[in-house]
Amino acid sequence: MCGIVGLFLKDRSLERHLGQLLSEMLITMTDRGPDSAGIAIYGSAAEGKAKVTIQSAKSEADFARLEDDLAKAGIPANVSIKSTHAVIAIAADKLTAIRPILATLRPDVRVMGSGDSVEIYKETGLPKDVVARFSVRSMGGSHGIGHTRMATESAVTTLGAHPFSTGSDQCLVHNGSLSNHNNLRRELVREGMTFETQNDSEVAAAYLTSEMAKGKDLGQALSGALDDLDGFFTFVVGTKSGFGVVRDPIACKPAVMAETHQYVAFGSEYRALVNLPGIETARVWEPEPATVYFWDHQKVA
Amino acid sequence: MPVIDLAITPLRELNSALHGIQPGSNDLSFEVVNPRGSHSVAVGIDTPVTVEVKGSVGYYCAGMNDGGSVTVHGSAGPGVAENMMSGTVVIEGDASQYAGATGRGGLLVIKGNAASRCGISMKGIDIVVHGNIGHMSAFMGQSGHLVVLGDAGDALGDSLYEAKLFVRGSVKSLGADCIEKELRPEHLTKLVELLEKAGVTGVRPEEFKRYGSARNLYNFNIDNAEAY
């Protein structure tokens, strides 16, 4: 099944409550996917700064003295540890350089995502435990997406949890199953993309990254997904300033959206939305099949 | 009248109370508040009880209904009134996918729009939708009536058997073996009856077009292989 939630805030006064609102939405979707949970939150971006979210199964050993080791390798960084994850704040121009250095310094560390503003937290276990472990409730931000997973296509592991991030400030959550992901993965590998898992959703994320790298915006990349991806899907995706939704032409995976002057929200079920402010008077609708829905902070007046 | 607050009372207690109504009971009207998208609200009713749900419900509301009158003052999630046997279900808002699926009897009224696969495999139920319906509606419909005041999405009535479909607005496309058919006097009479039951006023039955099965795909014929 899987449960998806997403919240894109238009009203800045709600930004400090983003983590709280998303946490409630995610926990409500526990019975759609109790295997693992994950959340991507877009916080404020500091000028000239970038963030890298990393994860390690032996976080204590891996995160100890990481700041010092990075500094010695020429990357001054600030490391904030949250359970098995850590967010490394660095200068934006070091974003490309840090990955190979990390791979050498801490070979067991996995990069969950990186960019100007995104932080990604995901683990196996119940959504309520995952939310508590990473103090998601206390996080603020402009938009975010979350996922509760009922595993179908690949193993129940931290890396198999959503969101999947394959490009700077990009991430994707998926409900469904793709049938042409192996072929597509091979094509993307030929283009130079790398993959961490055998998961079909990672292929979808990489596909969008690849299309956007060719100059498409998120809306155009999602339109392309309708032609190039085969299978069942409801995708909710985030970019630095944008939030998009698309369903396959069969559209048997559930989806409900709500919009008010304060926010746009997505849930696999209406239940996920019932605690949002003003939901009683929101415009609530089911997104049409094979139709791209897309919002962007840079385009919201 | 019993009022069940689903913010306090577990759903199972509501459904048990509805199932436990004894013949001759006077408590035949229930109000349900704070459904907040709960699944399976008022399923399996088998007595002529009235249930007023104040808010939106999730999956399978009023499923298998046999004789009850359920009104949802909000919207309904997937599978509302699935496999209804008899009685009436009214949704004041919109309904999600496969509303009235496999229904064998009774009347389902959706005052807003219905999503995809409305009336899929319907087997005798009557469905009246005041708004639009989504793609693949009445797929494999076997009997009963689907009346749509608005527009229908792609592949209406795909692989249709003997369900009768009436659409007032546009039809994006017809599914395999579904064709437009003549609207005869008996159909106009039936439409008047259904519209009246569904509380529709100011609409004439002549405004509808009728769709039904071309009956070419009932039995497998190799010459029709392309059409399946």
Side-chain angles (χ1 to χ4, degrees), chain A residues 32 247 249-254 269-271 274-275 284 286 289, chain B residues 36-39 56-57 59 78 94-97 115-117 135:
Chain A
R32 296 194 67 86
R247 301 169 85 192
I250 307 283
C252 57
K253 295 296 176 186
E269 295 177 32
Y270 176 74
R271 281 188 302 158
V274 294
N275 289 323
V284 177
E286 205 162 279
Chain B
R36 294 162 63 84
S38 297
H39 297 177
S56 292
V57 293
Y59 281 69
D94 298 330
S96 184
Q97 314 177 87
S116 62
R117 305 174 190 86
H135 62 286

Side-chain angles (χ1 to χ4, degrees), chain A residues 37-93:
Chain A
I39 200 157
I41 286 206
Y42 291 83
S44 52
E47 189 66 34
K49 287 280 186 186
K51 297 180 198 179
V52 180
T53 312
I54 58 170
Q55 181 269 351
S56 171
K58 46 185 187 74
S59 50
E60 262 183 43
D62 273 340
F63 298 163
R65 295 181 308 281
L66 183 57
E67 269 183 27
D68 297 343
D69 291 350
L70 282 169
K72 277 183 215 156
I75 300 189
N78 185 295
V79 177
S80 332
I81 298 167
K82 274 191 189 177
S83 183
T84 55
H85 287 47
V87 177
I88 310 173
I90 51 171
D93 59 3

Side-chain angles (χ1 to χ4, degrees), chain B residues 150-173:
Chain B
D151 304 329
D154 271 320
L156 176 70
D158 193 278
S159 305
L160 192 67
Y161 293 88
E162 292 305 301
K164 294 181 174 66
L165 319 180
F166 302 94
V167 182
R168 182 159 162 257
S170 64
V171 173
K172 204 166 176 194
S173 68

Side-chain angles (χ1 to χ4, degrees), chain B residues 8 13 28 36 41 43 52 72 75 85 89 95 113 115 136 150 156 161 171 173-174 187 197 202 215:
Chain B
I8 302 163
E13 280 187 33
L28 290 174
R36 294 162 63 84
V41 171
V43 294
E52 299 278 333
V72 176
S75 292
M85 304 302 284
V89 174
N113 302 312
M136 295 293 282
L156 176 70
Y161 293 88
V171 173
S173 68
L174 292 173
H187 303 127
K197 273 196 201 169
R215 300 180 182 128

